[in-house]
Amino acid sequence: FSWQTILSVGITLLTVYGDEIVDWTKKMINGGKIVESLAEKQKILNDTRKEGNKNAASEISKLETLYRVATNEALSIEQRLKATYKLQDLYPSYFKNMSVEEIMLGKAINKYKDLKEAILASSQARAIEKKLAERADKDLEQEQKIYDKIGQTKIEIANKKRTGKDIVFKGSRMEKTQDVVISNEDYIKAQEKRLELERKELQDFFKYKEQRDKFLINKLTKLNETAADYDADTSGGKIPKVKTDKPKT
């Protein structure tokens, strides 16, 4: 056996019999997984808002131009009608139920403001979805590492149950150390404890992700509600669903 194996077995056995080691292991498991502070959360929201506003600029500019032309009495009727019909065609949820005259007389101003807000909300929502997708990619890597550890521990338990052999570390005459024997039963108990902690690590990671992303998902839900009619007009209102199913371990 290598010294790495000996150290692994030693730590594993201490995990079985030592509460302090269990606490230490839990701290190691949770190391680095700290949910963002309020300031960090606000920064993330600000960044996604900025990105959303930037991406919405072109659409808002188009809307503003069409509405100004439609309501500008200094322009020809033909120009104003063309802009009005375009508004009704592009954004039926907002302008379809209003008459051409109402729109041209500026009576659709509240619908115009609602639409402008919806465009911004939709673009900001897409920016948050992008942030969540980036996090999900990184999370998958971490989850796979934990699944790999669980798989290796299961294999180790199965192997020891099959062989049934004790583990013997030979002592040294020069160092005046005696042989150390770890019973097969104790070793299996240790590995089962390790498996329990690894599964706990996985569940803690799921809880951490849920807590970490909760504020973003809540914000995304509100933005999608605001943008629902606009999204329906432009893309059928299809909002990607976040999968929350957790595989068995």
Side-chain angles (χ1 to χ4, degrees):
F1 294 91
S2 66
W3 282 108
Q4 185 177 4
T5 302
I6 295 173
L7 181 61
S8 175
V9 172
I11 291 176
T12 306
L13 288 174
L14 285 171
T15 301
V16 175
Y17 299 113
D19 291 337
E20 291 183 1
I21 296 300
V22 172
D23 292 338
W24 170 82
T25 305
K26 289 181 179 179
K27 289 179 181 178
M28 291 296 291
I29 287 172
N30 293 322
K33 297 182 177 66
I34 302 173
V35 177
E36 293 94 347
S37 66
L38 184 60
E40 289 171 329
K41 289 180 180 179
Q42 190 59 51
K43 183 181 183 305
I44 292 171
L45 286 178
N46 289 342
D47 290 343
T48 54
R49 186 181 295 112
K50 288 179 183 177
E51 182 179 349
N53 291 349
K54 180 181 178 181
N55 294 337
S58 176
E59 184 73 10
I60 287 178
S61 176
K62 179 172 67 175
L63 169 65
E64 290 176 343
T65 299
L66 288 172
Y67 191 77
R68 285 171 183 169
V69 171
T71 57
N72 189 346
E73 295 180 357
L75 299 176
S76 68
I77 292 295
E78 289 76 12
Q79 288 176 300
R80 296 176 66 190
L81 281 173
K82 184 178 180 180
T84 300
Y85 291 144
K86 191 69 173 177
L87 284 171
Q88 291 180 320
D89 181 57
L90 289 175
Y91 314 111
S93 296
Y94 295 87
F95 301 114
K96 199 70 173 179
N97 293 329
M98 298 192 73
S99 69
V100 171
E101 291 77 10
E102 286 176 323
I103 295 173
M104 292 173 68
L105 288 172
K107 294 183 179 181
I109 185 64
N110 288 334
K111 292 290 186 181
Y112 164 76
K113 290 179 179 178
D114 288 344
L115 174 55
K116 190 173 181 179
E117 181 182 359
I119 293 172
L120 286 170
S122 179
S123 190
Q124 289 168 12
R126 303 297 81 76
I128 289 178
E129 286 174 353
K130 178 182 176 183
K131 179 67 176 179
L132 289 171
E134 291 171 353
R135 285 182 166 185
D137 285 341
K138 294 180 180 179
D139 290 342
L140 284 174
E141 294 179 9
Q142 179 62 22
E143 286 176 29
Q144 189 57 54
K145 290 179 181 177
I146 301 173
Y147 279 122
D148 289 344
K149 289 194 296 183
I150 290 173
Q152 289 299 318
T153 303
K154 285 182 175 180
I155 291 172
E156 183 66 13
I157 291 172
N159 287 339
K160 292 303 293 180
K161 285 183 176 180
R162 186 177 68 255
T163 61
K165 294 181 179 179
D166 294 342
I167 299 174
V168 180
F169 299 108
K170 291 293 185 180
S172 169
R173 288 186 177 181
M174 292 182 62
E175 297 178 5
K176 298 181 179 180
T177 56
Q178 297 178 344
D179 292 351
V180 176
V181 179
I182 301 174
S183 73
N184 190 61
E185 181 182 358
D186 282 345
Y187 185 80
I188 290 173
K189 284 182 181 179
Q191 291 296 338
E192 287 174 342
K193 184 65 178 181
R194 173 176 286 176
L195 181 60
E196 178 186 333
L197 290 173
E198 288 167 348
R199 284 173 168 163
K200 176 70 164 50
E201 178 183 4
L202 184 63
Q203 294 305 313
D204 286 346
F205 187 65
F206 286 140
K207 291 177 183 177
Y208 154 74
K209 289 194 303 175
E210 183 178 356
Q211 184 180 359
R212 179 200 63 191
D213 294 338
K214 185 176 181 179
F215 83 102
L216 276 180
I217 292 174
N218 288 343
K219 182 65 175 178
L220 177 62
T221 300
K222 293 178 181 178
L223 289 170
N224 281 333
E225 289 173 355
T226 301
D229 288 340
Y230 168 73
D231 286 334
D233 286 346
T234 58
S235 61
K238 295 179 180 179
I239 306 301
K241 294 182 179 180
V242 179
K243 293 184 178 180
T244 56
D245 294 341
K246 299 172 184 176
K248 296 181 180 180
T249 55

